[in-house]
Amino acid sequence: MGVRGFKQLTPIPEAQRAVLAALTHVPRAAAVPTPTAVGKYAAADVVAPADVPPFDRAAFDGYAVRSIDTLSASRTNPAMLKLVGKALPGRPHQGALGPGEAVEVATGAPLPPGADAVVPYEEAAAREGYVEVYRPVPQYYYVSRRGEDVVAGEVVIRRGRLIKPWDIGVLASLGIKEVPVYKITAAIISTGNELVELDDAPPPPGKIINSTRHVLEAMLREVGVEPHYMGIVPDDEDVIYERVREALREHDMVITTGGVSVGEPDHVVSAVSRLRPSVLVHGIAARPGRPNSAAVVEGKLIAMLSGFPVASIVGFEVFVKPAVLKMAGAAEEPRPVVKAVLTRRVTTPINVRSFVRVRVYRQGGRLYAEPLAVTGSGILSTLTRGNGLLIIPENREGYDEGDEVEVVLLGPIE
Amino acid sequence: MGVRGFKQLTPIPEAQRAVLAALTHVPRAAAVPTPTAVGKYAAADVVAPADVPPFDRAAFDGYAVRSIDTLSASRTNPAMLKLVGKALPGRPHQGALGPGEAVEVATGAPLPPGADAVVPYEEAAAREGYVEVYRPVPQYYYVSRRGEDVVAGEVVIRRGRLIKPWDIGVLASLGIKEVPVYKITAAIISTGNELVELDDAPPPPGKIINSTRHVLEAMLREVGVEPHYMGIVPDDEDVIYERVREALREHDMVITTGGVSVGEPDHVVSAVSRLRPSVLVHGIAARPGRPNSAAVVEGKLIAMLSGFPVASIVGFEVFVKPAVLKMAGAAEEPRPVVKAVLTRRVTTPINVRSFVRVRVYRQGGRLYAEPLAVTGSGILSTLTRGNGLLIIPENREGYDEGDEVEVVLLGPIE
């Protein structure tokens, strides 16, 4: 795919295919302490160094027994076992269990040698140094067997997995102190003579605050990427070229905001073109988010996003997130989707993917979706007023009032 | 609700109602820099200090015009307007627009005084100092009007909202440098003579690593709470009592792990009972997660969770998360749910809510859910092998093979 004029907007699927195919950069991997790995991507398969559990242990509170001793037990004719001790988690019973003996055990306690089953309290009763067992228990009844959970050598975390809180539980249980994760960094370069930083608010007349930077920083962190903000650069092709080149050397991807547009100043695409990209997509068939563009240079993504927060989010979803997932070998996390009845007709252009922010609410046991704005990449407040996103595919010109539509939920339903 | 024996397990809805009704503690609010507020709960309504946009601006690239000048324009008889200048974002055109004049504008540029519409490039052409406009444009065509997005004084973020990346965009655009958020802290006290820390791995024989602590720390951060780990305490009622009392003074909630069980050592519930709780739930009708208990002391939650990671997650969902949401005045975030065909019959006890981990996969265009383990709170590996959770309500004894069930997705579908 060559350089395209802005008038021929590239359809999103085609743009994504071209960019992802050219993306060959592999980010740096580093071992980090296991508890800090949540929200990062595993950079290699992680293998269990030992069995879990490391020993046979009680899976219930009760009595450790030899199952054979309970063979003919019943409520009318209980097995009478001699209570010879007690085992707690971390405090094993000293010595083995002989025939006709029982040891009181708490969940998690190591099973004494000789024992092969646990009789829960409910199915037994202790009387004067003896335990009456009311039923036969099979071998390994309420026993967590050594290695039944994880066997040494088994892969417990696959490369590319986004590490979740419970994964930390598995890794920590295995005594794995460090995990290899991808350290993905993204440079953010904000372009625009009109921009001032939030710290400099209120802005002078005609200037606006660089809010898009903060949206992108937060979204990058949510997908496990560390943002590196490189400041505001003026609408000057040479300056942008130098800054992007510098960022590309240091980081796994570069995100620019602003300066992509059909009119002047369109310095960003010109600047990036000088880096001899293998792919350059100039504008996508998205609404909002038309100016979002992307290039691949030396196997790395340069995402040239709109300067408007709402449009930049579309560009983030189209280019940045898929690139992060590809670099990390990861699959996309599921998103909450509901079916809702559209309260008003929405008309969108054909051959364009439209992102319509909606407010989803419940009424009379049904869910409704009220469209908030079809156009207007500048309309920020729909982000806080709405709690859902209706994505209208390229082959539709919208939906009618009363249509049942699928909405991606971005927040709680009122 | 008084102290209950463990054998009468409290149904989850009843346990939650009792605990939440007694929960009156309000966490401390503090103003934090806006960009760091993501993932925290707004502690007060946030009001817009100014209009957004702060001035009328171009919503498209093209020409700013007086709409009345285009009234009779057509492709065969275009309106001829004199091009008198150019406006870029941050670089307004100097001076007003007179009758019969046009100014070239880029998206985001302030509209010159006198102009009230923008003609996109596509509907016009520039020739020798003039612009030919091919169609009439209505007033405010492609104009983002001052205050059309947000009006000064409007509530943009409601108290209790979990702040999202795009909310930061709205707040930053408004020049709001700080946001009041709840600073919720939770103490974690791990009990158990069998525990050693991950740093001390591999554990000596009979000991196990305190992995549950790390799972809870990560889950707390995910719901916007700062964990404060207070270490491992031995199974000693007096020590536990002192430590919980100390934690309760300093933190918004206290979470203990381990030591809740039908057998000995059940020191935690005894210790907490001495704090004269207004509510004490000892054990819940959950599988896994039966030992999870909770108390409310001085309006604060003490969640007494199982020492097993899998069971503690159930206790977290039942007691900790709802308490955080109540303290923050927040609604629960939506979770991804899919319908899938059960590949194997699952039998669960009546009057108990069962949490069955499943592996959801796609085959021939349908989703299937393979149950991984019905019992076994110790079975950790289902957390990494599975990607879904099937919650079986109290009024069912399971599902049959082939039943269509709703599964909460915890990770990508393979």
Side-chain angles (χ1 to χ4, degrees):
Chain A
M1 178 175 322
V3 177
R4 284 172 173 278
F6 202 84
K7 299 255 166 89
Q8 294 149 298
L9 298 165
T10 309
I12 290 175
E14 190 186 324
Q16 290 180 318
R17 262 196 308 274
V19 167
L20 291 179
L23 208 77
T24 54
H25 173 70
V26 177
R28 188 169 67 88
V32 298
T34 299
T36 69
V38 179
K40 307 283 177 201
Y41 304 93
D45 289 352
V46 180
V47 164
D51 292 333
V52 177
F55 44 81
D56 287 358
R57 65 183 179 200
F60 219 85
D61 299 312
Y63 303 95
V65 301
R66 297 157 63 105
S67 57
I68 201 165
D69 288 347
T70 68
L71 216 60
S72 55
S74 69
R75 202 153 271 277
T76 51
N77 187 26
M80 295 289 284
L81 304 176
K82 193 176 177 206
L83 194 55
V84 297
K86 189 188 283 191
L88 299 178
R91 285 195 197 146
H93 170 71
Q94 297 305 317
L97 195 81
E101 293 180 347
V103 161
E104 192 175 356
V105 285
T107 305
L111 226 59
D116 66 356
V118 171
V119 180
Y121 284 126
E122 287 84 340
E123 294 164 3
R127 301 196 199 292
E128 295 159 12
Y130 279 84
V131 179
E132 293 182 350
V133 176
Y134 299 131
R135 54 158 290 185
V137 289
Q139 207 178 19
Y140 306 126
Y141 192 62
Y142 282 119
V143 174
S144 292
R145 300 202 63 198
R146 175 182 175 158
E148 77 167 16
D149 197 350
V150 179
V151 176
E154 190 183 324
V155 173
V156 286
I157 302 284
R158 290 228 167 268
R159 186 188 90 88
R161 184 178 176 96
L162 181 66
I163 296 170
K164 302 288 176 69
W166 42 88
D167 295 336
I168 302 299
V170 177
L171 294 165
S173 294
L174 287 164
I176 297 171
K177 295 177 190 177
E178 291 190 326
V179 193
V181 298
Y182 286 117
K183 304 282 256 186
I184 309 176
T185 67
I188 298 175
I189 299 169
S190 302
T191 78
N193 296 321
E194 77 282 18
L195 297 180
V196 296
E197 297 292 3
L198 175 57
D199 284 343
D200 301 323
K207 302 281 180 178
I208 59 166
I209 294 164
N210 183 11
S211 58
T212 303
R213 163 213 168 173
H214 298 292
V215 176
L216 294 173
E217 285 178 329
M219 293 185 78
L220 283 167
R221 286 195 191 97
E222 286 203 342
V223 297
V225 175
E226 191 54 38
H228 283 259
Y229 179 60
M230 298 185 62
I232 296 168
V233 300
D235 291 314
D236 179 311
E237 189 184 307
D238 289 338
V239 177
I240 297 169
Y241 168 77
E242 286 302 336
R243 198 61 64 88
V244 170
R245 215 163 64 122
E246 179 194 337
L248 201 60
R249 263 199 308 272
E250 302 287 326
H251 298 285
D252 299 299
M253 57 166 62
V254 179
I255 301 174
T256 66
T257 66
V260 277
S261 167
V262 58
E264 288 182 84
D266 198 345
H267 306 303
V268 174
V269 172
S270 317
V272 168
S273 299
R274 286 163 56 185
L275 293 162
R276 277 170 285 132
S278 56
V279 170
L280 179 63
V281 177
H282 189 184
I284 52 173
R287 182 171 166 165
R290 209 170 85 132
N292 288 301
S293 300
V296 178
V297 173
E298 290 157 27
K300 290 182 183 176
L301 174 69
I302 302 174
M304 296 168 275
L305 306 187
S306 164
F308 287 97
V310 177
S312 79
I313 292 172
V314 170
F316 185 92
E317 293 289 329
V318 169
F319 291 123
V320 178
K321 200 163 123 184
V324 170
L325 296 177
K326 179 167 182 194
M327 283 196 291
E332 194 177 355
E333 292 294 311
R335 297 205 284 191
V337 172
V338 292
K339 289 203 165 92
V341 177
L342 202 62
T343 64
R344 213 172 53 236
R345 180 193 178 89
V346 175
T347 312
T348 53
I350 191 94
N351 294 330
V352 167
R353 192 179 297 177
S354 297
F355 299 83
V356 180
R357 283 139 284 151
V358 299
R359 187 175 70 87
V360 177
Y361 59 93
R362 201 181 300 275
Q363 197 171 70
R366 293 205 69 168
L367 291 179
Y368 293 88
E370 177 201 353
L372 294 177
V374 180
T375 57
S377 55
I379 299 294
L380 262 176
S381 58
T382 56
L383 295 177
T384 54
R385 281 185 200 132
N387 57 358
L389 188 64
L390 167 62
I391 301 173
I392 303 180
E394 286 81 352
N395 61 358
R396 291 199 63 112
E397 293 186 84
Y399 289 102
D400 280 330
E401 180 182 330
D403 276 0
E404 192 181 63
V405 292
E406 285 205 341
V407 175
V408 178
L409 282 180
L410 305 172
I413 294 173
E414 292 149 43
Chain B
M1 178 177 316
V3 178
R4 288 173 171 275
F6 202 85
K7 300 254 166 88
Q8 294 149 294
L9 297 166
T10 309
I12 290 174
E14 190 185 323
Q16 290 180 318
R17 263 196 307 275
V19 167
L20 291 179
L23 209 77
T24 54
H25 173 70
V26 176
R28 188 169 66 87
V32 298
T34 299
T36 69
V38 179
K40 306 284 177 202
Y41 303 93
D45 288 353
V46 179
V47 164
D51 292 333
V52 176
F55 44 81
D56 288 358
R57 67 185 179 198
F60 219 86
D61 300 311
Y63 302 96
V65 300
R66 298 156 65 105
S67 58
I68 201 167
D69 288 346
T70 67
L71 217 60
S72 56
S74 70
R75 201 155 272 276
T76 49
N77 187 24
M80 294 289 284
L81 304 176
K82 192 175 179 210
L83 194 54
V84 297
K86 190 187 282 192
L88 300 178
R91 285 197 198 145
H93 171 69
Q94 298 305 319
L97 196 79
E101 293 179 348
V103 162
E104 192 174 359
V105 285
T107 305
L111 226 59
D116 66 355
V118 172
V119 180
Y121 285 126
E122 287 85 339
E123 294 164 4
R127 302 199 198 290
E128 294 158 13
Y130 279 82
V131 179
E132 294 182 350
V133 175
Y134 299 128
R135 53 159 289 187
V137 289
Q139 206 177 18
Y140 306 126
Y141 192 64
Y142 281 119
V143 173
S144 292
R145 298 203 64 198
R146 175 180 175 159
E148 79 166 15
D149 196 351
V150 179
V151 175
E154 189 184 325
V155 172
V156 286
I157 301 284
R158 291 230 165 265
R159 186 188 92 87
R161 183 178 176 98
L162 181 66
I163 296 170
K164 302 286 175 68
W166 42 89
D167 295 337
I168 302 299
V170 178
L171 294 165
S173 294
L174 287 164
I176 297 171
K177 294 177 190 178
E178 290 191 326
V179 193
V181 299
Y182 286 117
K183 303 282 258 186
I184 310 175
T185 67
I188 298 175
I189 300 169
S190 301
T191 78
N193 296 320
E194 76 281 18
L195 297 180
V196 296
E197 297 292 4
L198 174 58
D199 283 343
D200 301 323
K207 301 281 181 179
I208 59 165
I209 293 163
N210 183 12
S211 57
T212 303
R213 162 211 168 175
H214 298 292
V215 176
L216 294 173
E217 286 178 330
M219 291 186 80
L220 284 166
R221 288 195 191 99
E222 286 203 341
V223 297
V225 176
E226 190 54 37
H228 283 258
Y229 180 59
M230 298 187 61
I232 296 168
V233 300
D235 291 315
D236 180 310
E237 188 183 308
D238 291 338
V239 178
I240 296 169
Y241 168 77
E242 287 301 336
R243 198 61 63 89
V244 170
R245 215 164 63 125
E246 179 194 337
L248 202 59
R249 263 198 310 271
E250 302 287 326
H251 298 285
D252 299 297
M253 57 165 62
V254 179
I255 301 173
T256 67
T257 67
V260 278
S261 166
V262 59
E264 288 182 85
D266 197 345
H267 307 302
V268 174
V269 171
S270 316
V272 168
S273 299
R274 285 162 57 184
L275 293 162
R276 277 170 285 133
S278 56
V279 170
L280 179 63
V281 176
H282 189 185
I284 53 173
R287 181 173 168 163
R290 210 169 83 132
N292 288 302
S293 300
V296 178
V297 174
E298 290 158 28
K300 289 182 183 175
L301 174 69
I302 303 174
M304 296 168 276
L305 306 187
S306 165
F308 287 96
V310 177
S312 78
I313 292 172
V314 170
F316 185 93
E317 293 289 328
V318 168
F319 291 123
V320 178
K321 201 164 122 183
V324 171
L325 296 178
K326 180 170 181 190
M327 284 195 291
E332 195 177 355
E333 293 293 311
R335 298 204 285 190
V337 173
V338 292
K339 289 205 165 94
V341 177
L342 202 62
T343 63
R344 212 171 55 235
R345 180 193 179 88
V346 175
T347 311
T348 54
I350 191 96
N351 295 329
V352 167
R353 192 178 298 176
S354 297
F355 299 83
V356 180
R357 283 140 285 151
V358 298
R359 188 175 68 87
V360 178
Y361 60 92
R362 200 180 300 274
Q363 197 171 70
R366 293 205 69 168
L367 290 179
Y368 293 89
E370 178 201 354
L372 293 177
V374 179
T375 58
S377 53
I379 299 294
L380 262 176
S381 59
T382 55
L383 295 177
T384 53
R385 281 183 201 134
N387 57 357
L389 189 63
L390 166 62
I391 301 174
I392 302 180
E394 287 80 351
N395 63 357
R396 292 199 62 114
E397 294 186 84
Y399 289 101
D400 281 330
E401 181 182 328
D403 276 359
E404 192 181 64
V405 292
E406 285 205 339
V407 175
V408 178
L409 282 181
L410 305 172
I413 294 172
E414 294 149 42

